Amino acid sequence: MTIIPRTSGALGYTMQVDRGEQVLMSQEDLFNRIATLTGGRAAEELLCNTVTTGASNDIEQATQLARAMVTRFGMSKKYDMMGLEQVNNAYLGGNTTLNCSAETATEIDEEVLRLIKEAHQKARDLISKHIPVMHEAASYLIDKETITGEEFMRILRKYIPENPEKVS
């Protein structure tokens, strides 16, 4: 993670590193990824008492992922394994087409919103539980401008030494 702008329009950058080659992702993995994407906004809300445009790309990615979970991956209690969307020209941009009624499309939007809200609340809960870690990591970033996963884990272990891999 860095607080140095690395791309046009970004005021900082967080890169999620996968643990090796992963072809299949579970519903829990995808939900946790959405929670991670909502973490920046959650931190703004909790620590700065405001929201900014900084989370716009994360919001877009979280929405796309939640929509795919509901419409293409069969990861919705409401729709089970019903295919509601298909990807056209996967190698040329991958635009999608919904295969459902207008009423179902509205319900899909509600299901996507529910998933994102639950993930956002998970992010808020995690941040709330670990405010001292957030403050120390923020101080580190202000001083060094960039923090690696290893450096962050060192900070985290100060507060959660028993099992740093399982933060809940």
Side-chain angles (χ1 to χ4, degrees):
M1 175 186 301
T2 183
I3 57 173
I4 303 298
R6 302 280 186 203
T7 60
S8 177
L11 297 176
Y13 183 77
T14 302
M15 183 174 72
Q16 294 183 45
V17 180
D18 289 326
R19 296 180 191 148
E21 196 172 318
Q22 191 171 8
V23 178
L24 299 175
M25 293 187 74
S26 70
Q27 185 172 359
E28 182 181 13
D29 291 337
L30 294 173
F31 180 80
N32 287 336
R33 191 165 280 209
I34 295 169
T36 300
L37 289 164
T38 65
R41 170 59 60 87
E44 282 183 337
E45 293 167 340
L46 292 169
L47 301 173
C48 303
N49 295 315
T50 190
V51 295
T52 70
T53 58
S56 63
N57 185 259
D58 294 334
I59 292 168
E60 188 177 313
Q61 288 182 51
T63 303
Q64 288 173 352
L65 189 52
R67 183 168 295 282
M69 288 175 70
V70 172
T71 62
R72 296 195 337 249
F73 302 152
M75 295 179 176
S76 163
K77 289 178 187 171
K78 183 169 185 142
Y79 295 107
D80 196 30
M81 291 178 45
M82 184 177 181
L84 298 165
E85 183 178 61
Q86 75 182 57
V87 177
N88 305 309
N89 304 315
Y91 301 106
L92 300 174
N95 58 333
T96 59
T97 305
L98 280 175
N99 300 324
C100 61
S101 68
E103 294 83 17
T104 301
T106 299
E107 292 172 3
I108 289 168
D109 289 341
E110 292 167 1
E111 185 77 357
V112 168
L113 178 59
R114 182 191 63 76
L115 269 173
I116 293 169
K117 281 184 167 186
E118 285 179 15
H120 184 208
Q121 188 58 51
K122 179 177 182 173
R124 289 177 59 89
D125 292 346
L126 278 169
I127 290 168
S128 293
K129 271 175 65 174
H130 302 289
I131 295 290
V133 175
M134 294 291 295
H135 286 301
E136 188 166 337
S139 293
Y140 187 96
L141 278 166
I142 289 168
D143 184 44
K144 306 281 187 185
E145 297 178 345
T146 299
I147 188 169
T148 66
E150 185 178 308
E151 291 162 338
F152 178 77
M153 290 306 293
R154 241 182 270 130
I155 293 169
L156 186 62
R157 284 186 195 104
K158 290 181 191 177
Y159 298 90
I160 310 169
E162 67 279 352
N163 190 356
E165 297 299 317
K166 181 99 172 133
V167 177
S168 55

